[in-house]
């Protein structure tokens, strides 16, 4: 907020930082006017200059109204904030903002780590021929299948002689379908009459981290019908949902792993479990909070990288198999 005061001085005031910055500009302007003998301030400056600078009050004439500094700080706290050191004032305001932020429900970031899909090419496949002539393939004789890998989207396909193919490694349902069609196209180029049939999403693996740690022992005791906790076998609580169909692994650090048949089910499962685990939340240590924010920043970086590297699959949809 900018306001014109006596002598044509411009004062700029914004929150804590802006108020202090505006004060420095204003007092320096007073000193400059006192040195030049400005008519509007020379009468009052010699007598009140040091007193007004120390108390952070603008110098004005008797018939003039003191300018009102408009800030986001409570009016009763303006003098208190301006009377302390600048870093200390910022810390106080950050503390107040943190208290307000605690009342707001946090945003939970769900990370989709793997999408498993399957489809059929409706023809018999010669695995040895695919292993000899295909690109980025590996023939696994003991398993009776061939694995084929593509880079974009990063996917590994398991190919059986019956024509059934399973794809893993995608991070969304759209990527899974794009990868499946590219695998089918690669097989078609080897001389097979391919038909893209029976595509479906088999499984979705998602993870998220709660902004608090979880007391998993009392949680498993309260929800015994759905939750099972065997610390000798697994460090987390297994929580099963029937609607939406999903299986959750809840850990004491606040990390939750969800396995569901679709991305929508993963989201619904997290929305269902959040109010339940929040009752058993506990404060984290400083090291755990540092790991939490580091993990959140890493996930955001990878999401932005995927968005920048994603290509337009329009050419794939326009071609028939």
């Amino acid at each position: 907020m900018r306001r014109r005061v006596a002598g044509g001085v411009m004062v700029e005031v914004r929150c804590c930082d802006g108020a202090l910055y505006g004060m420095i500009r204003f007092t320096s302007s007073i000193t400059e006017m006192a040195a030049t003998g400005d008519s509007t301030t020379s009468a009052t400056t010699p007598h009140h200059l040091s007193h007004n600078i120390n108390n952070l009050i603008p110098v004005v004439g008797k018939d003039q109204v003191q300018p009102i500094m408009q800030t986001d700080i409570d009016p009763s706290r303006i003098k208190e904030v301006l009377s302390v050191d600048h870093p200390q004032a910022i810390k106080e305001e950050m503390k107040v903002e943190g208290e307000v932020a605690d009342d707001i429900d946090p945003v939970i970031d769900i990370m989709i780590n793997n999408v498993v899909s399957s489809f059929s090419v409706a023809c018999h496949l010669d695995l040895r021929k695919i292993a000899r002539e295909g690109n980025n393939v590996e023939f696994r004789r003991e398993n009776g299948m061939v694995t084929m890998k593509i880079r974009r989207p990063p996917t590994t396909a398991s190919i059986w002689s019956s024509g059934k193919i399973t794809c893993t490694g995608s991070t969304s349902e759209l990527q899974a379908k794009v990868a499946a069609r590219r695998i089918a196209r690669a097989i078609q180029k080897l001389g097979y009459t391919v038909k893209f049939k029976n595509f479906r999403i088999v499984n979705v693996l998602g993870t998220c981290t709660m902004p608090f740690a979880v007391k998993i022992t009392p949680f498993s005791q309260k929800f015994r019908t759905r939750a099972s906790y065997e610390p000798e076998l697994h460090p987390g609580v297994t929580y099963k949902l029937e609607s939406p169909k999903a299986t959750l692994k809840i850990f004491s650090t606040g990390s939750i792993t969800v396995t569901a048949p679709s991305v929508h089910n993963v989201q619904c499962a997290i929305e269902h479990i959040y109010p339940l685990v929040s009752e058993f939340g506990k404060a984290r240590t400083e090291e755990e909070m540092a790991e939490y924010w580091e993990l959140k920043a890493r996930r955001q970086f990878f999401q932005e990288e995927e968005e920048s590297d994603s290509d337009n699959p329009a050419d794939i949809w326009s071609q028939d198999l």
Side-chain angles (χ1 to χ4, degrees), residues 79-134:
K79 270 195 173 184
E80 178 186 350
V81 173
L82 294 179
S83 61
V84 296
D85 294 337
H86 186 204
Q88 183 65 25
I90 293 179
K91 290 180 180 179
E92 290 184 5
E93 292 305 314
M94 291 177 63
K95 184 178 180 182
V96 173
E97 291 178 358
E99 294 175 356
V100 175
D102 292 340
D103 299 334
I104 303 174
D105 293 337
V107 178
I108 306 299
D109 294 330
I110 302 175
M111 191 79 171
I112 303 299
N113 297 323
N114 188 23
V115 177
V116 182
S117 62
S118 67
F119 67 99
S120 175
V121 294
C123 66
H124 182 78
L125 301 176
D126 185 358
L127 300 183
R128 294 181 180 275
K129 179 182 178 181
I130 296 176
R132 289 194 305 266
E133 301 178 6

Side-chain angles (χ1 to χ4, degrees), residues 55 111 222:
N55 289 276
M111 191 79 171
K222 182 176 180 180

